[in-house]
Each structure stands twice: as C-alpha cells, then as structure tokens.
Amino acid sequence: MKWLLLLALVVLSECSVFKIPLVKKKSLRQNLIENGKLKEFMKTHKYNLGSKYIREAATLVSDQPLQNYLDTEYFGTIGIGTPAQDFTVIFDTGSSNLWVPSVYCSSEACTNHNRFNPQDSSTYEATSETLSITYGTGSMTGILGYDTVEVGGISDTNQIFGLSETEPGSFLYYAPFDGILGLAYPSISSSGATPVFDNIWDQGLVSQDLFSVYLSSNEESGSVVMFGGIDSSYYSGSLNWVPVSVEGYWQITVDSITMNGESIACSDGCQAIVDTGTSLLAGPTTAISNIQSYIGASEDSSGEEVISCSSIDSLPDIVFTINGVQYPVPPSAYILQSDDVCSSGFEGMDVSTSSGDLWILGDVFIRQYFTVFDRANNQIGLAPVA
C-alpha cells in the first residue's frame, strides 16, 4: 500500500500545531496584552524560551502530543464546541484547513468516525459557506461553521472549520483519524478560511509566531507539535534556518540530492515542501525511479517498491543539501521495515507548480530533523533530532 498521505493538490488548505509556556501567571502577559505590547515584546525576545521571564510572559505551557501510527501517520486529539466534542486529527503542514466529520455526512467513511453535532454545542455559529478539498489521497466536501477549538491546552475561540458532508472513497473510511488540521499558509486555505494557527496567533494565545514539530521513530511515543515555542531538548547542535521560497505550502529551495558525493537528482536545484501530512519522501516520478534503482528497490506484485532488508547495513546516506547545509538521510530511515519485509521510503509523485515539480520532504525526512515553522520570519529551522 502506498503510504503517501494528505497533500492538498487542487484547492488545498489547512494549518496548526503548538507549545504552551510553563507558568500560568497572568499579570505580566495580561498587562502586555492590555497595552498592545505583547507581539512587540515577543519579537524582541524571540527564540529565548529558556528564560523564566519569557516563559512567564507567554503563560502557556503545554505541548500537543501526537500518536505515532505505524510510522505512517501522526495525529492528536482536539476538542470542538461547548462542551467539547473530541476528534483525532492529522496536524498537516501540507494544507491549511481544519475539518472534521459531521452528522450531516452521508458517506460510509463517516460511519466509523466521530462526527460533530452543532446542536450539541452552545457556541456553534453556522455559515452559508461551503468547503471542498482534494488531497493526494482522499477528498471531502462540506460546510463551514465557527466554534471554540481546544488544541494543546489552548482555547481557540471563534475558529472557522469544516463540517464534512461527503468523504468519498475508501481511504478516509479506513483512516485511524477523524479529520485534518492544516498548518500551512492562509493563501492555500480552501474558501479563504482562517487557519487554526493564524487565529491562535491573532488572539495573542502563543508567545511566538511559530510552531515546532518532533516526530518519533519506530512507532515510539513522544511525538509533539509545539505552538509558539522551540524546545532544544528535542535536537542536537543548532538550528539552521532556510528561507521559505513560496508562502503557500512550507516551500523551500533544495540545492542538490546526492549519494556518495555524486548527484542522483536535483542537480540544478529544485523546490521542495516540508510536509508532516506525507508519510514518505516523494519527488518527480523519473527522478524517484532513478533513486529506486540506485538503492536496489524493485516493484513487487502489489506495486510496492521492496528492497532486501540486508541492504540497510550496506547502502550509503542520501544527502539533501539545503541552503548550503547537508542533511543526510541514512538507509535506516529511507528503508522502511515491517516484520521481515523492507520497502523504499521514496515514492514518485508529479506535483507541478509555477516553480517546477515539487519534492515532498515528508515524515521519512522529518523524523531525522526537528523542524521549526517560523511564520514571523517566513523560514524553516532544521536540526538533527536528539
């Protein structure tokens, strides 16, 4: 089964993730908010969450934990409405809308997932707007409404979100999550809906205009998305910053992709997106086909690119050079092992944009590198996981 997930290809959408500060102390933060100084204060003291003073000013101190499902999907639980109705959602940096199944949904996919009921929420506000999103795998249509969203300990009021009416096909029926919470830029949000993280930041509910992601390996626990902060305990060395090249997806420029010092793809540079909602490392089909040959992968009867498990000890790193810094991905990361079967962590997918065909640095890459998505400075921070 192809494990590539949730890249919005047509209308696109989504946003979100987050960390809350350590001491719930209203005085300093409240004074800053009341005097309109909070954002200015946080910009002046950015990236210094080690300071007790900054933590007190930020007040929020709580991570949004994510469950690692078979190293293919990472999702967490949020609440929508008053009282809160719980939903598991993918925190997806490859789209920008929040949506969940609803009682209005007629698709089979909704029958075995939690469904939002507006009549059970005293804070729900209906709209006449509609929503339609197509992902790399799966799609949905529905309506838009407003309600309070509880995420990572934060109460995000007046949040616009989608209530699905149709979820065609089988993918979402078998999905272990209910909906999707998009964390990309507002420009790719379907129907112009304000993404969750933008709404959280606009309300002054986080300390910095950024969020961070750590994805665990080998189905271990501990995966997290941190809204408004950076936790250095998750990575080693220092963060390297990469400018965002297009503010839609979290899109960056890759200098080259090499193996043993030789170019195997992207020799003249290429565009890539850092996407928590995609399981694998994806790229143009011709380039990926060449990489599969380099690592000795071949297609089996089910269409899966399989490889000998013994290759893990003999194959070299595949190195992504980004903004002059090398980011090696070892064979232990790009070869996925399940029981005695090993498969390639690369997949061909042609995603054409005005800036060329996109590469997708999905979970296979992100598991190796703690990632900061910095909206304030339109850049991505990367550092090897600790």
Side-chain angles (χ1 to χ4, degrees), residues 226-298:
M226 293 167 272
F227 292 121
I230 302 169
D231 189 337
S232 61
S233 68
Y234 285 101
Y235 63 88
S236 59
S238 58
L239 288 162
N240 295 305
W241 295 98
V242 183
V244 169
S245 56
V246 178
E247 296 170 19
Y249 300 117
W250 285 94
Q251 185 170 328
I252 59 176
T253 300
V254 175
D255 305 332
S256 64
I257 302 173
T258 58
M259 178 187 285
N260 288 327
E262 300 293 328
S263 175
I264 59 172
C266 188
S267 56
D268 297 320
C270 54
Q271 292 295 298
I273 64 173
V274 184
D275 183 6
T276 58
T278 293
S279 302
L280 305 183
L281 271 164
T285 51
T286 299
I288 292 295
S289 179
N290 291 336
I291 290 178
Q292 307 289 30
S293 296
Y294 285 126
I295 64 176
S298 59

Side-chain angles (χ1 to χ4, degrees), residues 114-386:
N114 292 335
R115 292 186 285 182
F116 181 77
N117 188 342
Q119 294 185 347
D120 290 341
S121 173
S122 62
T123 46
Y124 178 77
E125 295 182 20
T127 78
S128 59
E129 298 177 79
T130 60
L131 180 69
S132 177
I133 307 171
T134 299
Y135 299 96
T137 311
S139 64
M140 65 80 65
T141 64
I143 59 173
L144 289 165
Y146 289 86
D147 213 327
T148 297
V149 175
E150 300 288 341
V151 54
I154 285 179
S155 184
D156 170 24
T157 59
N158 201 36
Q159 176 62 55
I160 192 169
F161 71 104
L163 294 76
S164 77
E165 294 179 314
T166 69
E167 297 178 24
S170 61
F171 174 75
L172 289 172
Y173 177 83
Y174 293 107
F177 55 87
D178 300 314
I180 299 171
L181 193 158
L183 290 168
Y185 282 81
S187 64
I188 65 168
S189 179
S190 180
S191 301
T194 301
V196 170
F197 183 73
D198 289 72
N199 206 42
I200 286 173
W201 171 250
D202 290 343
Q203 294 179 62
L205 300 175
V206 290
S207 57
Q208 298 178 75
D209 193 7
L210 57 78
F211 58 91
S212 310
V213 174
Y214 165 74
L215 300 184
S216 66
S217 298
N218 302 318
E219 302 178 40
E220 293 180 355
S221 60
S223 299
V224 67
V225 58
M226 293 167 272
F227 292 121
I230 302 169
D231 189 337
S232 61
S233 68
Y234 285 101
Y235 63 88
S236 59
S238 58
L239 288 162
N240 295 305
W241 295 98
V242 183
V244 169
S245 56
V246 178
E247 296 170 19
Y249 300 117
W250 285 94
Q251 185 170 328
I252 59 176
T253 300
V254 175
D255 305 332
S256 64
I257 302 173
T258 58
M259 178 187 285
N260 288 327
E262 300 293 328
S263 175
I264 59 172
C266 188
S267 56
D268 297 320
C270 54
Q271 292 295 298
I273 64 173
V274 184
D275 183 6
T276 58
T278 293
S279 302
L280 305 183
L281 271 164
T285 51
T286 299
I288 292 295
S289 179
N290 291 336
I291 290 178
Q292 307 289 30
S293 296
Y294 285 126
I295 64 176
S298 59
E299 191 172 301
D300 66 8
S301 59
S302 64
E304 196 76 28
E305 292 289 342
V306 296
I307 188 170
S308 170
C309 293
S310 62
S311 300
I312 295 176
D313 297 326
S314 58
L315 284 169
D317 296 348
I318 293 179
V319 179
F320 292 77
T321 301
I322 304 171
N323 204 27
V325 177
Q326 293 188 340
Y327 297 90
V329 179
S332 59
Y334 66 74
I335 297 177
L336 309 176
Q337 187 166 4
S338 177
D339 297 324
D340 296 327
V341 177
C342 289
S343 60
S344 169
F346 289 92
E347 183 167 14
M349 174 179 268
D350 293 317
V351 184
S352 298
T353 69
S354 59
S355 51
D357 289 342
L358 288 180
W359 288 74
I360 305 170
L361 305 183
D363 298 343
V364 166
F365 181 88
I366 300 170
R367 277 194 287 270
Q368 305 301 303
Y369 297 99
F370 179 82
T371 307
V372 181
F373 299 85
D374 182 356
R375 284 287 299 276
N377 300 290
N378 293 315
Q379 61 184 359
I380 288 178
L382 296 168
V385 295

Side-chain angles (χ1 to χ4, degrees), residues 71-94:
D71 278 359
T72 64
E73 298 161 357
Y74 295 81
F75 44 80
T77 300
I78 65 171
I80 303 178
T82 307
Q85 301 172 43
D86 288 344
F87 299 90
T88 56
V89 294
I90 295 281
F91 285 79
D92 178 25
T93 59

